[in-house]
């Protein structure tokens, strides 16, 4: 008797269930990178082989620090780390960015676009700023590394 009543109750649409708004879910890749972020942490920013990019979005409060460690002989990024304060999409974008830059040349990582990160994570339009932060953080880290390298080269030339 209880089963029959429950089936009738659950099968009959009500005004409240018809007006119910479907919930939004993150894509499984976002959830994976949020629950199991890759490459969390930081390097010593005074290390001359480390480039640091610190970017933020004042509108939403997301802040992203992405660091790259570069092999000076090959110019290849050998490791990457991040720390992000923000939503799940920002954390996932940072995690993906660190995975994508490892093992690549400096010139290659500059070609990584926010649209590629957003597409990979299936970010909705309202979360595109997260992938933009990741792209900006990569560029800022490369710029910081190159500035350190130029300074080191100049100091070596002066001291020689």
């Amino acid at each position: 008797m209880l089963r029959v009543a429950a089936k009738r109750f659950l099968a009959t649409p009500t005004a409240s269930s018809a007006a119910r708004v479907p919930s939004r879910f993150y894509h499984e890749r976002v959830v994976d990178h949020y629950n199991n972020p890759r490459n969390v942490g930081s390097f010593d920013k005074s290390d001359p082989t480390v480039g640091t990019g610190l970017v933020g979005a004042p509108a939403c409060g997301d802040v992203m620090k992405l660091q790259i460690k570069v092999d000076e002989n090959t110019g290849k990024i050998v490791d990457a780390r991040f720390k992000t304060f923000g939503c799940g999409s920002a954390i996932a974008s940072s995690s993906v960015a660190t995975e994508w830059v490892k093992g690549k040349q400096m010139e290659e990582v500059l070609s990584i676009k926010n649209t590629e990160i957003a597409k990979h994570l299936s970010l909705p339009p309202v979360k595109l700023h997260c992938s933009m932060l990741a792209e900006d953080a990569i560029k800022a880290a490369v710029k910081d590394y190159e500035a350190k390298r130029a300074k080191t080269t100049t100091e070596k030339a002066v001291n020689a």
Side-chain angles (χ1 to χ4, degrees), residues 10-98:
L10 294 174
T12 308
T14 63
S16 64
S17 68
R20 197 175 299 150
V21 177
S23 60
R24 296 183 185 188
F25 297 99
Y26 283 112
H27 189 273
E28 63 187 41
R29 286 191 197 108
V30 174
V31 174
D32 179 40
H33 278 276
Y34 176 77
N35 287 331
N36 307 298
R38 283 66 151 183
N39 310 307
V40 175
S42 60
F43 299 121
D44 178 10
K45 65 180 179 182
S46 63
D47 182 345
T49 65
V50 172
T52 303
L54 183 63
V55 296
C60 65
D62 292 341
V63 178
M64 188 178 292
K65 179 176 89 170
L66 188 139
Q67 293 181 300
I68 55 173
K69 190 172 193 72
V70 182
D71 182 332
E72 292 179 328
N73 297 325
T74 63
K76 197 176 265 193
I77 297 171
V78 292
D79 204 357
R81 295 277 184 261
F82 82 93
K83 283 189 177 180
T84 296
F85 176 80
C87 65
S89 297
I91 292 167
S93 294
S94 305
S95 179
V96 166
T98 58

Side-chain angles (χ1 to χ4, degrees), residues 45 49-56 63-70 77 81 97 101 106 109-112 131-149:
K45 65 180 179 182
T49 65
V50 172
T52 303
L54 183 63
V55 296
V63 178
M64 188 178 292
K65 179 176 89 170
L66 188 139
Q67 293 181 300
I68 55 173
K69 190 172 193 72
V70 182
I77 297 171
R81 295 277 184 261
V101 300
M106 300 284 281
V109 299
L110 292 174
S111 68
I112 295 173
S131 61
M132 290 178 201
L133 279 178
E135 179 185 346
D136 292 345
I138 292 168
K139 289 178 180 175
V142 169
K143 184 177 180 181
D144 181 61
Y145 171 76
E146 289 175 342
K148 280 183 180 179
R149 200 169 106 207

Side-chain angles (χ1 to χ4, degrees), residues 152-160:
T152 306
T153 306
T154 304
E155 288 174 358
K156 284 181 182 177
V158 169
N159 293 334

